[in-house]
């Protein structure tokens, strides 16, 4: 009886089950070259969920009921594709075939040329470094616009500078240990192979390959087979930091024998693009070779480098710009009919990597990379010994000082190389005929690093909706730092003596104080560091929620080893040999929660709380002389949160975000020549200024949208409204090279609460239009408005010491709170409007694709925009500060960099 009932039930239910049968829809996504496009997002309009294509470009939707459907396939750097289809009741599986995505027409438009010449100054300026966004863009409208439109004017999203960003090659971080910043010179000119990051997450969004920082993670996979099979030739002409660029790239694809090759090379060269006396000659090379042993295992070798030779340009006071114009550069002069720049940066730090790719089972991958980087970064400058400062803009040579008129200043506004050689010639011998040393030389500050890295990444899918990532990194650094003689300018030798401190020996263990070309002089030391880090992250996808959690911990050991025993008595026992080891332990947590309102609307929360150990530059207050730690140096603590609403519609894509970030216990060090008050009066000395226990707050809102007005016309808009400021009164210390018992000097608290963080506009707006023709040409333009850019300040004259008489320990006569406020008020620069445009055309001729593009920034040639600047610290006592404020033209006015005006970048390429 039971069997009969079961059979009746089965046959009764079968028709209903058949009636409600649901369908699985699937397809493969490929590029124009036929290669799979992985990680493309597929949005099903009729569903609350979308899916992501896997590594072979495959995706599927399950349990679709009969009806009419529409999907949109999107992937950064590809044109989006919309596809409609029907599902009928009799279909169990529906194959949509191969969906081919076209390359984005704008791929070669909007190229940003990185120009970090402002970083080459030693005048005490703030860090003027480009950001990760300058080299990459994502699908998000805000990221694209802030990178290509606003980024050209040193805009930093959320105020975050280069120190808080991560760029990784195969799991190896490219951040420098000395200051934590990324040096893009290490792969400059390799645009073809670094154009598309494998992963690019912004801000505090958790990454699969690293814990990350405040400014996001760009992860590059240099696997030879991952590059599109093609040959690419390109030539560019520009007037930004060079004139010409030639580039060639070849990718073989994976052969039947299991080999893949990718090679790329370029050269960038040219002089006097806009700024006087600036020239550059830079090469770049890249090689990636992969051997595939099986479908589960391959090994890849990568080697790349970018030998660069580049001249720098000077920051100047407003007085100098008013006389000489905005293109003036004081670092060069004529020699034998050619321009010679005294500030040359020569950097070549090649990287070699071996990466092992292993697939374990169906759901796990294990990637291990070992790398070794070696090379040097050398920056030259003029040096002098018991002689006048050869800088043409030395304050005693300025018309405001009264020794020269404006016309006389113009006549001697460049370095007089002939006079430097003559001075050395006239000083060639003593009265008894013995040789004398140089009074003028060219020296180089050299950083020669040897860095070993091991990076391991393991990922596995525990369930269909649950993924786990584990990252381990080890780094060993040995950094050799020294100054060497580059050019004696006709002299016999130079003296290894401290002319600013009674000719005391820089190295008392060497009786010979004569140095020649190639010899080390003045300082020589090594910095040693071992760093271990572990990061674990996990992502779980639910029907309505997606949750990502990431934790990390790291441990580091740092040490200084001096090569010179200083002749300064106070430094004698702390200058040579190994210092004590400085240990640092860090930890942190990140989280991301996405609430899926439906398939087009999302609410996303990101949160992060972590610590960062001090960099080597922050740890040692004056490593050139001694191993003393910076007073009060600590691990900084970062707390950051953001909340976003995201819309991904067919017509409108939009993101609206609010963020709030605090940084506590940070350390800021500046090094410059200053006049400071003491018990015996004013003392002129080279000082190292440190602010410790610095607290800052970054808060604001972002809006980015992309609206499709017509199928061929898009409008994009961005609004970034931020407030980045100091929120406490940190401690200020100075350290100088004078032969005194007072090694450290405490200045007390700096009254900088509510001062603004410099280096970026705090508010920025952009509105752009772009027309994409079906005939493969495009044209676009954007209007950009930048607001609230502030001058970087010197901390010494923000302390009570500045207006306190050291003899009485009371304020100087006439000091009032109102006067102090007037003397120390932070400078705010004027708001500026900039107009950009770009256009291009691509051609398909058989198997050949050719394209040409041009982008123009600052079309209106606005030369009033200050891209960066800093207060000079020379006037650091009340008497001098008051005198400076009363002068019509200050002797020590702020030093500034101005935008270069109208710049262009044209590019033509051929691919086959």
């Amino acid at each position: 009886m039971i069997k009969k009932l079961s059979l009746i039930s089965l046959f009764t239910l079968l028709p209903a089950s058949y009636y409600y049968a649901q369908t699985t829809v699937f397809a493969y996504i490929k590029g124009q070259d036929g290669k799979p496009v992985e990680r493309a997002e597929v949005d099903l309009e009729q569903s609350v969920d979308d899916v992501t294509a896997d590594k072979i470009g495959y995706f599927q939707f399950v349990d679709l009921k009969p009806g009419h459907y529409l999907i949109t396939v999107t992937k950064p750097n590809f044109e989006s594709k919309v596809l409609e289809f029907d599902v009928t009741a009799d279909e169990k599986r529906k194959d949509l075939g191969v969906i081919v995505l076209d390359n984005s027409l704008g791929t070669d438009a909007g190229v940003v040329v990185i120009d970090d010449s402002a970083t080459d100054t030693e005048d005490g300026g703030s860090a003027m470094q480009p950001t990760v966004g300058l080299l990459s863009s994502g699908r998000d409208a805000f990221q694209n616009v802030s990178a290509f439109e606003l980024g050209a004017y040193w805009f930093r999203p959320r105020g975050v500078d280069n120190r808080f960003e991560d760029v990784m090659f195969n799991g190896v971080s490219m951040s420098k240990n000395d200051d934590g910043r990324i040096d893009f010179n290490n792969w400059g000119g390799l645009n073809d192979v670094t154009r598309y990051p494998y992963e690019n997450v912004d801000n505090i969004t958790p990454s699969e390959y690293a814990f990350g920082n405040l400014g996001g993670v760009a992860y590059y996979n240099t696997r030879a087979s991952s590059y599109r099979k093609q040959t690419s030739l390109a030539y560019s002409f520009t007037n930004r930091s060079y004139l010409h660029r030639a580039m060639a790239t070849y990718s073989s694809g994976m052969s039947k024998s299991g080999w893949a090759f990718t090679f790329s090379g370029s050269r960038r060269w040219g002089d006097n693009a806009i700024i006087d006396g600036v020239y550059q000659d830079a090469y770049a090379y890249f090689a990636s070779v992969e051997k595939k042993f099986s479908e589960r295992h391959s090994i890849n070798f990568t080697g790349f480098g970018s030998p660069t030779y580049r001249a720098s340009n000077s920051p100047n006071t407003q007085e100098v710009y008013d006389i000489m114009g905005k293109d003036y550069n004081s670092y060069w002069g004529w020699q034998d009919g050619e321009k010679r720049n005294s500030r040359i940066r020569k950097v070549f730090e090649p990287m070699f990597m071996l990466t092992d790719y292993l697939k374990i089972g169906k759901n796990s991958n294990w990637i291990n990379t070992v790398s070794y980087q070696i090379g040097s970064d050398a920056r030259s400058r003029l040096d002098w010994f018991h002689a006048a400062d050869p800088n043409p803009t030395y304050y005693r040579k300025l018309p405001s000082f009264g020794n020269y008129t404006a016309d006389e200043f113009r006549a001697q506004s460049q370095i007089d190389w002939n006079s430097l050689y003559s001075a050395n010639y006239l000083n060639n011998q003593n009265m008894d005929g013995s040789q004398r040393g140089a009074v003028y030389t060219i020296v180089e500050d050299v950083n020669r690093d040897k860095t070993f890295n091991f990076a391991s990444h393991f990922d596995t899918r525990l369930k269909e909706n649950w993924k786990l990532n584990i990252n381990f990194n080890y780094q060993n650094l040995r950094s050799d730092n020294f100054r060497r003689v580059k050019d004696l300018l006709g002299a016999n030798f130079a003296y290894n003596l401290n002319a600013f401190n009674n000719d005391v020996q820089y190295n008392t263990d060497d009786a010979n104080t004569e140095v020649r070309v190639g010899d080390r002089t003045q300082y020589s030391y090594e910095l040693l560091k071992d760093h271990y880090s572990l990061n674990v992250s996990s992502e779980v996808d639910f029907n309505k929620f997606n949750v990502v959690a990431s934790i990390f911990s790291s441990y580091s050991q740092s040490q200084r080893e001096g090569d010179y025993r200083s002749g300064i008595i106070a430094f004698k026992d702390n200058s040579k040999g190994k210092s004590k080891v400085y240990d640092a332990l860090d930890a942190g947590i990140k989280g991301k929660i996405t609430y899926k309102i439906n398939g087009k609307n999302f609410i996303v929360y990101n949160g992060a709380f972590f610590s960062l150990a001090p960099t080597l530059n922050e740890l040692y207050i004056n490593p050139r002389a001694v191993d003393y730690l910076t007073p009060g140096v600590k691990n900084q603590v970062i707390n950051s949160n953001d909340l976003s609403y995201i819309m991904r519609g067919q017509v409108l894509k939009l993101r609206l975000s609010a963020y709030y970030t605090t940084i506590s216990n940070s350390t800021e060090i500046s090094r410059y020549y200053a006049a400071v008050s003491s018990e015996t009066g004013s003392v002129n000395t080279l000082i190292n200024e440190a602010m410790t226990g610095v607290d800052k707050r970054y808060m604001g809102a972002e809006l980015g949208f992309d609206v499709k007005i017509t199928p061929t016309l898009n409008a994009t808009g961005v609004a970034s409204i931020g407030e980045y400021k100091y929120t406490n009164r940190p401690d200020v210390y100075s350290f100088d090279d004078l032969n005194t018992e007072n090694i450290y000097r405490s200045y007390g608290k700096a009254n900088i609460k509510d001062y603004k963080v410099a280096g970026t506009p705090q508010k920025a707006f952009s509105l752009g239009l772009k027309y994409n023709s079906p005939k493969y040409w495009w044209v676009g333009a954007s209007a950009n408005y930048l607001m609230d850019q502030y001058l970087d300040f010197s901390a010494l004259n923000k302390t009570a010491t500045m207006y306190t008489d050291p003899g009485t320990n009371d304020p100087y006569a006439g000091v009032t709170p109102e006067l102090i406020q007037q003397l120390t008020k932070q400078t705010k620069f004027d708001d500026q409007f900039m107009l950009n445009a770009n256009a291009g055309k691509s051609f398909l001729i058989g198997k050949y694709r050719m394209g040409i593009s041009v982008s123009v920034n600052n079309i209106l040639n606005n030369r009033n925009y200050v891209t960066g600047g800093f207060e000079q610290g020379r006037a650091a006592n009340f008497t001098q500060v008051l005198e400076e404020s009363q002068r019509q033209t200050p002797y020590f006015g702020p030093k500034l960099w101005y935008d270069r005006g109208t710049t262009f970048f044209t590019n033509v390429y051929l691919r086959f």
Side-chain angles (χ1 to χ4, degrees):
M1 183 67 179
I2 293 175
K3 289 183 178 180
K4 288 182 179 180
L5 288 173
S6 299
L7 288 171
I8 293 171
S9 299
L10 178 61
F11 283 104
T12 303
L13 292 174
L14 270 177
S17 176
Y18 179 80
Y19 180 79
Y20 290 105
Q22 295 176 325
T23 305
T24 296
V25 176
F26 64 96
Y28 291 86
I29 304 172
K30 294 186 177 182
Q32 292 172 308
D33 56 357
K35 290 186 64 175
V37 176
E38 59 180 297
R39 296 192 175 202
E41 293 198 8
V42 186
D43 180 14
L44 182 64
E45 185 178 25
Q46 291 81 2
S47 171
V48 295
D49 295 316
D50 56 6
V51 298
T52 302
D54 63 15
K55 292 191 175 183
I56 61 172
Y58 176 81
F59 73 89
Q60 68 177 21
F61 288 97
V62 297
D63 299 335
L64 293 188
K65 297 178 181 179
H68 182 75
Y69 292 89
L70 181 147
I71 61 173
T72 302
V73 184
T74 57
K75 168 81 174 178
N77 307 306
F78 290 88
E79 295 292 335
S80 298
K81 179 155 289 188
V82 179
L83 184 68
E84 296 183 70
F85 61 90
D86 293 305
V87 172
T88 60
D90 59 346
E91 292 180 296
K92 291 185 178 181
R93 290 178 62 81
K94 185 176 185 68
D95 185 358
L96 299 181
V98 175
I99 300 173
V100 178
L101 296 185
D102 295 328
N103 298 326
S104 173
L105 289 176
T107 296
D108 288 88
V111 176
V112 173
V113 178
I114 297 302
D115 173 26
D116 62 347
S117 58
T119 66
D120 297 335
T121 181
E122 289 190 353
D123 295 311
S126 60
M128 295 290 294
Q129 288 272 4
T131 62
V132 170
L134 290 173
L135 296 186
S136 60
S137 65
R139 182 189 58 186
D140 184 274
F142 188 91
Q143 289 178 286
N144 280 325
V145 173
S146 61
F148 293 127
E149 306 299 336
L150 299 173
Y153 305 110
W154 301 96
F155 169 74
R156 295 171 177 169
R158 303 190 180 183
V160 174
D161 67 20
N162 192 286
R163 163 74 169 89
F164 298 101
E165 295 173 341
D166 282 316
V167 171
M168 309 185 79
F169 280 76
N170 304 319
V172 175
S173 174
M174 301 302 291
S175 298
K176 295 297 184 181
N177 270 290
D178 56 355
D179 59 7
R181 300 181 183 279
I182 302 163
D183 189 353
F184 295 102
N185 288 284
N186 286 169
W187 64 94
L190 296 174
N191 300 60
D192 273 353
V193 291
T194 60
R195 191 183 305 279
Y196 309 127
Y198 186 76
E199 182 190 50
N200 189 13
V201 299
D202 59 330
N203 305 314
I204 57 173
T205 303
S207 163
E208 292 187 13
Y209 297 93
F211 181 78
N213 210 308
L214 279 176
V217 176
Y219 179 95
Y220 291 97
N221 175 18
T222 64
R223 194 172 184 173
S225 62
S226 68
Y227 293 98
R228 180 181 297 124
K229 181 180 179 179
Q230 68 176 8
T231 298
S232 176
L233 305 174
Y235 169 76
S236 304
F237 181 65
T238 179
N239 68 339
R240 294 177 182 172
S241 57
Y242 53 84
L243 296 179
H244 311 279
R245 184 188 72 180
M247 186 163 54
T249 302
Y250 167 75
S251 293
S252 68
M254 183 61 70
S255 69
K256 292 181 180 180
S257 59
W259 288 94
F261 304 91
T262 294
F263 302 105
S264 186
S266 76
R267 185 190 179 195
R268 294 161 291 156
W269 73 99
D271 58 1
N272 297 331
I274 290 181
I275 303 299
D276 293 334
V278 172
Y279 41 88
Q280 179 171 334
D281 196 5
Y283 293 83
Y285 64 83
F286 174 93
S288 180
V289 179
E290 180 181 357
K291 172 57 179 174
K292 182 179 178 181
F293 299 101
S294 69
E295 292 299 322
R296 293 182 171 274
H297 186 213
S298 66
I299 292 179
N300 194 93
F301 167 80
T302 302
F304 62 88
S306 182
T308 301
Y309 181 91
R310 188 186 69 243
S312 303
N313 64 285
S314 63
N316 302 296
T317 63
Q318 190 59 51
E319 176 185 9
V320 173
Y321 282 123
D322 290 342
I323 298 172
M324 301 300 300
K326 301 288 174 58
D327 298 336
Y328 173 69
N329 178 14
S330 67
Y331 289 161
W332 69 275
W334 292 101
Q335 182 179 349
D336 297 330
E338 296 184 358
K339 292 181 178 180
R340 180 180 181 182
N341 195 306
S342 64
R343 299 286 185 107
I344 300 294
R345 184 179 182 190
K346 189 175 182 179
V347 55
F348 180 40
E349 298 175 308
M351 172 80 82
F352 305 96
M353 295 179 164
L354 192 64
T355 304
D356 182 84
Y357 298 89
L358 181 64
K359 186 171 183 61
I360 304 172
K362 292 182 178 180
N363 300 316
S364 302
N365 299 282
W366 192 17
I367 304 172
N368 293 285
T369 298
V370 291
S371 74
Y372 187 66
Q373 186 174 22
I374 193 172
S376 66
D377 186 349
R379 310 183 190 212
S380 70
R381 63 188 297 265
L382 276 169
D383 196 23
W384 55 99
F385 186 83
H386 295 303
D389 189 334
N391 179 6
T393 59
Y394 181 58
Y395 78 100
R396 292 178 178 272
K397 301 176 183 179
L398 297 177
S400 59
F401 193 78
N403 289 337
Y404 301 99
T405 65
D407 288 338
E408 289 172 330
F409 174 77
R410 290 189 191 95
Q412 55 184 20
S413 58
Q414 304 302 151
I415 294 174
D416 188 348
W417 290 103
N418 290 333
S419 70
L420 303 185
Y421 278 88
S422 296
N424 282 339
Y425 177 78
L426 295 173
N427 194 63
N428 196 38
Q429 291 184 340
N430 292 302
M431 295 294 293
D432 61 1
S434 60
Q435 292 186 341
R436 295 181 64 182
V439 290
Y440 292 106
T441 57
I442 295 285
V443 294
E444 283 184 308
D445 292 308
V446 182
N447 175 258
R448 185 179 289 164
D449 286 353
K450 297 178 181 178
T451 310
F452 170 81
N453 288 280
F454 171 69
S456 181
H457 168 83
F458 175 79
D459 66 73
T460 185
R461 191 167 291 280
L462 302 174
K463 292 184 178 180
E464 249 338 281
N465 66 333
W466 185 8
K467 188 174 183 180
L468 176 70
N469 304 291
I470 302 174
N471 301 297
F472 173 78
N473 292 79
Y474 167 71
Q475 184 177 85
N476 173 269
L477 169 74
R478 191 172 188 93
S479 179
D480 190 12
N481 299 265
F482 57 92
R483 178 170 286 178
R484 70 183 172 203
V485 180
K486 182 180 181 181
D487 193 335
L488 288 169
L489 302 181
N492 300 307
F493 60 86
Y495 293 107
N496 193 21
L497 300 172
N498 190 341
F500 294 98
N501 194 359
N502 300 317
D503 290 351
V504 66
Q505 284 184 254
Y506 283 108
N507 184 16
T508 57
D509 288 348
D510 186 356
N512 179 24
T513 61
E514 298 178 2
V515 287
R516 291 170 173 78
V517 172
D519 291 344
R520 299 193 180 202
T521 182
Q522 301 183 25
Y523 70 88
S524 177
Y525 65 94
E526 290 181 304
L527 293 175
L528 316 174
K529 187 172 184 178
D530 287 286
H531 184 261
Y532 309 81
S533 66
L534 178 66
N535 164 236
V536 180
S537 66
S538 184
E539 178 179 359
V540 184
D541 194 35
F542 301 104
N543 185 39
K544 279 285 189 179
F545 288 91
N546 177 277
V547 179
V548 182
S550 180
I551 60 174
F552 99 103
S553 181
S554 70
Y555 173 73
S556 62
Q557 292 183 318
S558 303
Q559 191 175 30
R560 176 190 181 273
E561 183 175 1
D563 300 324
Y564 286 178
R565 189 180 308 281
S566 176
I568 299 176
I569 296 175
F571 300 168
K572 180 179 179 182
D573 297 329
N574 294 88
S575 51
K576 187 173 182 177
K578 289 187 176 181
S579 69
K580 294 181 180 179
V581 175
Y582 181 89
D583 299 309
L585 182 65
D586 282 318
I589 185 169
K590 279 186 176 183
K592 176 185 177 183
I593 301 174
T594 303
Y595 173 64
K596 310 169 190 177
I597 302 173
N598 53 43
K600 300 184 183 304
N601 296 273
F602 307 84
I603 300 293
V604 181
Y605 165 77
N606 285 287
F609 183 78
F610 58 97
S611 64
L612 285 178
T615 64
L616 292 171
N617 274 4
E618 295 166 345
L619 188 59
Y620 299 103
I621 190 168
N622 186 8
R624 291 183 177 184
V626 289
D627 60 17
Y628 296 141
L629 298 179
T630 302
V633 66
K634 296 179 181 178
N635 291 26
Q636 56 185 318
V637 179
I638 296 174
N639 185 3
S640 184
N641 299 269
D642 67 44
L643 185 66
S644 300
Y645 165 69
I646 298 173
M647 175 189 291
R648 295 178 183 169
Q650 300 299 322
V651 175
L652 175 65
K653 292 181 174 64
L654 176 146
R655 175 168 68 85
L656 176 63
S657 302
Y659 59 91
Y660 185 92
T661 300
T662 61
I663 302 177
S664 305
N665 294 330
S666 64
T667 298
E668 297 184 6
I669 293 183
S670 301
R671 297 177 173 95
Y672 52 83
Y673 192 74
V676 298
S677 57
S678 68
E679 296 180 0
T680 58
S682 180
V683 178
N684 295 324
T685 180
L686 181 66
I687 69 168
N688 302 268
E689 171 199 297
M691 282 200 306
T692 58
V694 179
D695 295 346
K696 290 178 280 190
R697 185 187 73 195
Y698 301 76
M699 61 182 294
E702 298 170 338
L703 170 67
F705 67 84
D706 184 336
V707 58
K708 189 176 287 294
I709 301 173
T710 71
T712 56
L713 182 64
N714 279 60
T716 57
V718 157
S720 177
I721 302 174
E723 183 187 64
Y724 322 134
K725 69 178 185 178
Y726 294 83
T727 57
N728 73 330
R729 299 169 62 243
D731 295 313
V732 179
Y733 301 88
S734 72
F735 182 99
D736 58 55
D737 293 346
L738 295 177
N739 195 359
T740 64
E741 294 298 326
N742 298 321
I743 298 171
Y744 294 111
R745 183 176 182 185
S746 174
Y747 283 78
K749 302 288 186 180
N751 297 307
I752 62 168
K753 186 176 181 181
D754 294 328
Y755 274 58
K756 298 302 194 308
V757 176
T760 178
Q762 302 211 356
K763 297 180 179 64
F765 306 89
S766 179
L767 182 63
L769 288 172
K770 184 176 182 181
Y771 176 78
N772 277 310
S773 170
K775 296 184 178 180
Y776 298 99
W777 61 270
W778 77 92
V779 61
S782 70
N784 307 281
Y785 196 68
L786 305 137
M787 300 175 61
D788 295 358
Q789 173 88 306
Y790 289 86
L791 181 72
D792 203 3
F793 56 83
S794 170
L796 291 187
N797 62 12
K798 305 300 183 292
T799 66
T801 304
M802 188 271 288
Y803 54 83
T804 300
D805 188 337
T808 64
N809 209 30
D810 293 322
Y812 286 99
V815 171
T816 63
E818 293 76 18
L819 180 58
I820 295 301
Q821 173 67 21
Q822 175 187 335
L823 295 177
T824 60
K825 182 179 179 181
Q826 189 177 21
T827 299
K828 178 183 177 182
F829 300 117
D830 293 336
D831 304 337
Q832 301 294 334
F833 174 79
M834 301 291 187
L835 187 64
N836 299 343
N838 64 80
K841 167 72 174 172
S842 65
F843 309 87
L844 188 60
I845 309 170
K847 67 176 183 177
Y848 295 91
R849 175 176 290 272
M850 181 179 179
I852 184 170
S853 64
V854 59
S855 62
V856 184
N857 290 337
N858 195 354
I859 294 174
L860 302 179
N861 198 31
N862 181 355
R863 300 304 302 272
N864 296 320
Y865 177 56
V866 179
T867 59
F870 57 93
E871 289 181 344
Q872 294 195 69
R874 294 188 63 121
N877 62 73
F878 178 76
T879 303
Q880 285 189 319
V881 172
L882 184 61
E883 289 176 353
E884 279 284 277
S885 69
Q886 294 172 343
R887 294 190 181 103
Q888 184 175 357
T889 304
Y891 295 163
F892 307 113
K895 288 201 171 183
L896 311 171
W897 285 276
Y898 278 93
D899 187 79
R900 298 187 174 187
T902 302
T903 59
F904 66 87
F905 188 94
T906 58
N907 185 66
V908 59
Y909 68 86
L910 177 66
R911 295 173 184 163
F912 54 92

